[in-house]
Amino acid sequence: MFELLALFALLFVGGLCLVAFIAVKAVFHLIFCPIKILFLPFLLIGFVIKLAVLVAVAAIVIAVLIPLAILALLFAAPFILAAALT
């Protein structure tokens, strides 16, 4: 009979620890949620800067590749015409 009482006491303590853990976890979520919301503008600024750098690099790459493509077509045009005529 004592073993059964000890088992129920152990289950009660385990359940109490589980409830305490869930309560502490909820309190930490309530505490740190406003802090996460405060960091959102900084994340947005970082994202906008990253996007601006990406667009600038893409524009530079396109600005370099277009004249190279024109030069390649100018040098390749006689060979393309000769291949088309034969």
Side-chain angles (χ1 to χ4, degrees), residues 21-43:
F21 175 74
I22 292 172
V24 168
K25 186 177 174 184
V27 167
F28 276 129
H29 277 288
L30 287 174
I31 291 172
F32 289 126
C33 189
I35 294 173
K36 286 193 291 188
I37 291 173
L38 286 174
F39 284 124
L40 283 177
F42 298 113
L43 291 173

Side-chain angles (χ1 to χ4, degrees), residues 4-20:
L4 192 60
L5 181 65
L7 176 68
F8 285 138
L10 184 67
L11 289 175
F12 177 74
V13 170
L16 196 63
C17 288
L18 182 67
V19 169

Side-chain angles (χ1 to χ4, degrees), residues 47-66:
F47 177 72
V48 168
I49 290 173
K50 187 185 296 187
L51 188 63
V53 168
L54 183 66
V55 168
V57 168
I60 291 171
V61 168
I62 289 173
V64 169
L65 287 179
I66 288 175

